[in-house]
Amino acid sequence: MNARIFGDSSAAEAQTVESSGTNSNSMLKILLSIFGLCLVGALAAPADGVQTSTKVPPVAIVDSGQEKHEDGSYHFFYQGEDGTHRDETAVVQNAGTDDAFLEVSGTYSYFDADGKEVVVNYKADNHGFVPEGGNILPQISLAAKLASEQKQPLPDADFKKTPKYE
């Protein structure tokens, strides 16, 4: 509220500025509070058409198993009640050397939206990953296979071997 005090004009102006400054600060605080509440409400509300939860129940695992060996090799598998499955085996190659690596091979399958089974076979070693099957374009499988058949693995410019401490 702008109050005018009679008498000294500079005192009256100071009182007017001080009163209007207080009102402006109060109004600013109210506006910021309202803006903050609107922002919180907008962030908390789900977007139109976006599902916030899935309606599909989890698939039960009907069979599974795993083996882990001291040398780092392994085998695991599982099968879902919907027919999906995965089976993977890894074998250590060049064990006990600086060039040791896992040679991994496996397969997985699932049913796409049209009910068609998609089966993918894959292998991975120190030369790369090669997928083949169902939904993998033949060009991708061929390019991965050719790259993996190179004599020397491609150098990884970012990779630095960790130092061995004794």
Side-chain angles (χ1 to χ4, degrees), residues 93-162:
Q93 300 294 331
N94 301 328
T97 70
D98 286 343
D99 296 326
F101 65 92
L102 283 176
E103 186 175 77
V104 179
S105 60
T107 183
Y108 65 88
S109 73
Y110 63 91
F111 292 91
D112 67 12
D114 298 326
K116 180 183 172 197
E117 185 177 24
V118 177
V119 178
V120 176
N121 298 301
Y122 59 91
K123 75 170 196 149
D125 57 21
N126 63 332
H127 295 283
F129 177 77
V130 181
E132 295 178 323
N135 61 347
I136 309 294
L137 293 174
Q139 302 92 315
I140 293 174
S141 294
L142 179 61
K145 184 176 184 195
L146 291 174
S148 73
E149 291 173 348
Q150 292 181 4
K151 295 287 183 200
Q152 295 293 320
L154 296 173
D156 187 348
D158 295 334
F159 177 74
K160 300 208 183 341
K161 280 195 170 182
T162 54

